[in-house]
Structures are given as structure tokens and as C-alpha cells.
Amino acid sequence: MTDWLGMLAAPRTPRPELKGRVLARALAPRRRWGGPLAAAALITLAVAGGAWWAYRTIGTLTADRDGLATRVHALEDTVSTFIHGPATQLIQIPVSTGGRVGSVTIFADSVRHRWLVRCDGLAPNARDQAYQLWFITERGMATAAVMPMDQDKPMVMGLEMPGADQRVVGAAMTIEPRAGSASPSGPVVFHRLL
Amino acid sequence: MTSPKRLSQEHQRSLARRLKARDERALGELYDLVAPWILGLVVHILHDEDEAEEVVSDVFVQVWRRIDQHDAGRGPLVPWILSIARNRSLDALRRRRRWWRKSALLEQVHAVEGGDIAPAAPHEATVPGWPLHREVHAALAALSEEQRRVVVLSYFEGLSHGEIARRLHQPLGTVKTRLRMAHQKLTEGLRHLKDWVE
């Protein structure tokens, strides 16, 4: 009811031109915000999409990193077990390949029947050749691994030893065709009885 | 001799419906009926004719754009427009950078008017809504001098209770009591207002 108090003030006759001005302003088309709003919405959407993509990518990469870190820890444990295990025998063999001196180190775990082999300073192979590692058993030579070496980098590998009916008495390495051989046929890199 | 203009409640409802239907002629009719009162109210608050015309323009723009917000069930159209005009005027008053200079001017005006609001001169009686103007004045006149003063300061200058108390050098509680009692009396005195007649 007190809104009627506005009627307390004395009326004033507006200037005649005011009506035209007022109506023109009131009836003028309103400024359209559709375009700018749509653009702002698109930009917001793009930014939000980018942020979501970055969030997902970072999440995926973080998960990958964590997985790799776990695997590295597991491998470290495995290697540590090999190296420091009481049943592990360390054999270090100096080798000479392509006029350079290197070495092959074997950690032989007789309990788990596994070898950890590390090759350092081996000359890279020719394109059609590969190093082949052999177990020397009481029954003869059994292939352990074929190792094509194209780069001048150390190589580490874990190997399962032959079954109990083939007692390992030594190791040998030869240079064979790229796909490997059923029995040694190429130049001997080393030959060592344990 | 022109025929008397009417703004009955039914006429107000009709205008509101037409405005909601975006009838531009209805806005022109509304302007003819209420613009003198809106301008009078705004000038009384702002004491500046040019600024008042801008506010009147704002009021009609707001009425045209927000007519959907007017709820006929809560009151007629004219008080709704008057409240828009008052709010806009008080906003303009607060925005003024020359507030203190205008305030000093207001003090001078009030010193002349005794802080009250005088009825319009009789030659303006041809303006539509004149009887309503007289009735609202009668309701205000029924208040005590102290109540009338706080109502005028609150309504036309938008002063808070604390500001009124400081202006009149009265305790805050006294001002609140006077305003509450004045509001009750005015509500009672204006309850019978229905139509804006010739």
C-alpha cells in the first residue's frame, strides 16, 4: 500500500519531446548477446575440453610411470637376488670381438636354475650375423640365447637353464647367422667350463 | 473540453495484459497516464529535471522489458511503476558524485519546506489521477508531524533508519517506532484505494 506514496509528489507535465524519446528507447531492439554468448560458450567449452584432455592424459601418463616404476623395482629385486644370493656363482669372461676388448659376466643361480648374463664391450654384429650363447651340458651344446647386437650398448638378459637331466658344465658364445643355429658353427667368442 | 481519463483496476489489468502481449500502443497510453506522476516523483527525489527525464526513460524501458515480472495478484500496475521509479531515483541519487553538494541543496529545500511535502497546486488538478494524489496526501496529513518527517526522509531520500536518526538527532529506536507506526497508519489509510478516477 505504501507504494502509493509516490503519488504524494506533485505531477509535472513532461516536455512534449520526452514521450517520443522514451518510447523510442523502450521499443528499440535490445542488443543481441546471442553471438558473443555463443562464442564465449564455445571458448569455454574448448578450454574445458582441453583441460579434461590434459587431465586424462596426465592421469594415463602417471599410471604408466607408476607401472614402469613398479616393474623397475621388481627387476631390481630380481637382479639383487641374483647378485647377492648365496647360491649365485659369478663368472666373468674377458672377450675380444672386432678388435676390441669386452667382457661377459654370468650370475649363475643354481637354486632357481637361472642365469643373468651381462655383455659389455661387444662389437656390433654384421647385418646377417648375431651372437649366440650356448649352455655346455653333459649331453652337448644347447642354445641359450640368440643376441643380434646392432648397437654398441651393454646387454642384460635373464635365461632359464636346461632341465635337470642336462647338467650345465660351461658356457660358450659363437657368431652365427642372424636367425641362430641349432649347433655352433661360426667363430668362437669364448668357451668356458664352470 | 476533454473527457475525463480513467485508470480503473480493470484498465490497469488491461494495460498490463496488452504490455505483456507486446502492444506498443499500450506503452504510449501508459505514458500519457502516468508520466506526469512519475516525473513529479523523480524530480522530487532528485531535484534535477534533466536527470529526472533520464530516470523516467529508464523506468519505461524497465516496465516494457520486465512487465512479465508484474504480478497483478500482488497489486495494481501504478504502484508497481511508482516503486520502480522510486528505486531508480534513489539509485541515481546514490550514484551522484556531487552527492554532498546536492545534499546541501536538499537541506536548503527542506529548510524552506520544513522537511515536508506539499500538495500540488490546484491548477494541476486536470492531470489524471489527481483525486488519488489528494487521498494519499490526506493519509500523510493524518500522521503526526514526527511520523510524517521520517516517512518523507525514508521514502523520498532513501535514508536508512540510522541516517534518519542522525539527520533528526533522534534515538534510533524512536525512528524505528515512528516509521513502524506511520507504516501501519498509511496502510490502513490507503487500504480503500482502488481506482484512479477522473
Side-chain angles (χ1 to χ4, degrees), chain B residues 4 8 13 15 47-48 59 62 78 86 92 103 115 149 152 155:
Chain B
S8 64
R13 279 195 288 272
L15 273 176
H47 296 275
D48 183 324
V59 169
Q62 185 168 343
V78 171
R86 175 183 176 250
S103 183
R149 190 177 288 267
V152 169
Y155 189 85

Side-chain angles (χ1 to χ4, degrees), chain A:
Chain A
M1 266 304 162
T2 48
D3 285 336
W4 285 110
L5 286 180
M7 295 292 289
L8 281 170
R12 292 176 80 92
T13 305
R15 288 187 289 176
E17 64 270 23
L18 182 61
K19 181 177 179 181
R21 222 168 69 206
V22 167
L23 294 185
R25 205 183 133 206
L27 300 175
R30 295 183 73 170
R31 186 172 176 182
R32 299 294 176 202
W33 290 97
L37 277 179
L42 274 177
I43 291 170
T44 305
L45 203 62
V47 170
W52 174 247
W53 175 83
Y55 173 77
R56 291 289 305 272
T57 304
I58 289 170
T60 305
L61 291 175
T62 303
D64 287 350
R65 184 202 61 191
D66 292 345
L68 288 172
T70 305
R71 286 184 59 192
V72 167
H73 282 305
L75 287 173
E76 281 177 355
D77 287 346
T78 303
V79 170
S80 179
T81 306
F82 262 117
I83 294 172
H84 302 294
T88 299
Q89 183 179 3
L90 174 63
I91 305 124
Q92 192 156 30
I93 307 154
V95 295
S96 175
T97 51
R100 54 194 291 184
V101 176
S103 69
V104 174
T105 308
I106 300 172
F107 297 89
D109 185 338
S110 57
V111 173
R112 295 182 184 82
H113 294 281
R114 296 185 71 190
W115 279 12
L116 181 70
V117 181
R118 177 185 169 100
C119 304
D120 291 286
L122 294 186
N125 289 124
R127 283 190 174 185
D128 57 344
Q129 291 180 332
Y131 293 109
Q132 188 163 2
L133 188 67
W134 304 89
F135 293 117
I136 303 172
T137 72
E138 291 174 329
R139 293 187 177 183
M141 304 290 272
T143 186
V146 178
M147 304 177 294
M149 189 168 283
D150 299 323
Q151 294 178 328
D152 186 6
K153 285 167 56 176
M155 182 188 293
V156 179
M157 67 196 123
L159 302 173
E160 291 291 335
M161 293 173 68
D165 56 331
Q166 298 186 63
R167 196 168 74 86
V168 176
V169 295
M173 180 178 278
T174 58
I175 297 174
E176 301 293 336
R178 193 77 168 179
S181 301
S183 58
S185 58
V188 176
V189 178
F190 73 84
H191 180 280
R192 175 75 174 267
L193 293 176
L194 302 179

Side-chain angles (χ1 to χ4, degrees), chain A residues 1-31, chain B residues 27 31-32 36-37 39-41 43 49 53 57-58 60-61 64-65 79 82 120 124 129 132-133 136-137 155 183 190-191 193:
Chain A
M1 266 304 162
T2 48
D3 285 336
W4 285 110
L5 286 180
M7 295 292 289
L8 281 170
R12 292 176 80 92
T13 305
R15 288 187 289 176
E17 64 270 23
L18 182 61
K19 181 177 179 181
R21 222 168 69 206
V22 167
L23 294 185
R25 205 183 133 206
L27 300 175
R30 295 183 73 170
R31 186 172 176 182
Chain B
L27 188 64
Y31 178 91
D32 291 337
W37 297 103
L39 184 62
L41 170 62
V43 168
E49 188 92 24
E53 288 188 352
S57 182
D58 290 344
F60 280 94
V61 168
W64 177 248
R65 290 182 181 167
L82 288 170
E124 291 173 307
L132 202 61
H133 170 69
V136 178
H137 262 284
Y155 189 85
H183 187 266
L190 300 176
R191 192 184 301 283
L193 289 187

Side-chain angles (χ1 to χ4, degrees), chain B residues 50-186:
Chain B
D50 292 335
E51 195 175 6
E53 288 188 352
E54 286 302 310
V55 171
V56 168
S57 182
D58 290 344
V59 169
F60 280 94
V61 168
Q62 185 168 343
V63 168
W64 177 248
R65 290 182 181 167
R66 301 190 182 172
I67 185 65
D68 286 334
Q69 295 177 3
H70 170 250
D71 180 2
R74 297 182 61 184
L77 188 60
V78 171
W80 182 67
I81 298 173
L82 288 170
S83 69
I84 292 174
R86 175 183 176 250
N87 291 335
R88 287 272 179 170
S89 304
L90 293 178
D91 287 345
L93 197 61
R94 294 185 186 113
R95 274 199 309 270
R96 275 184 186 166
R97 290 179 180 172
R98 297 166 293 167
W99 163 261
W100 292 111
R101 194 165 69 81
K102 291 285 181 183
S103 183
L105 190 62
L106 280 173
E107 293 286 359
Q108 291 170 11
V109 170
H110 290 143
V112 172
E113 295 180 352
D116 218 330
I117 179 164
H123 71 271
E124 291 173 307
T126 55
V127 177
W130 177 261
L132 202 61
H133 170 69
R134 298 301 299 268
E135 292 201 43
V136 178
H137 262 284
L140 189 71
L143 303 180
S144 67
E145 173 67 24
E146 293 80 10
Q147 290 170 347
R148 194 158 52 243
R149 190 177 288 267
V150 293
V151 166
V152 169
L153 289 174
S154 170
Y155 189 85
F156 289 100
E157 293 192 36
L159 298 186
S160 67
H161 295 174
E163 288 168 334
I164 295 172
R166 282 193 293 277
R167 175 79 69 88
L168 299 179
H169 307 292
Q170 295 288 335
L172 180 60
T174 304
V175 169
K176 287 183 177 178
T177 303
R178 286 177 183 171
L179 267 175
R180 188 175 65 251
M181 294 185 66
H183 187 266
Q184 287 170 354
K185 281 189 187 176
L186 285 171

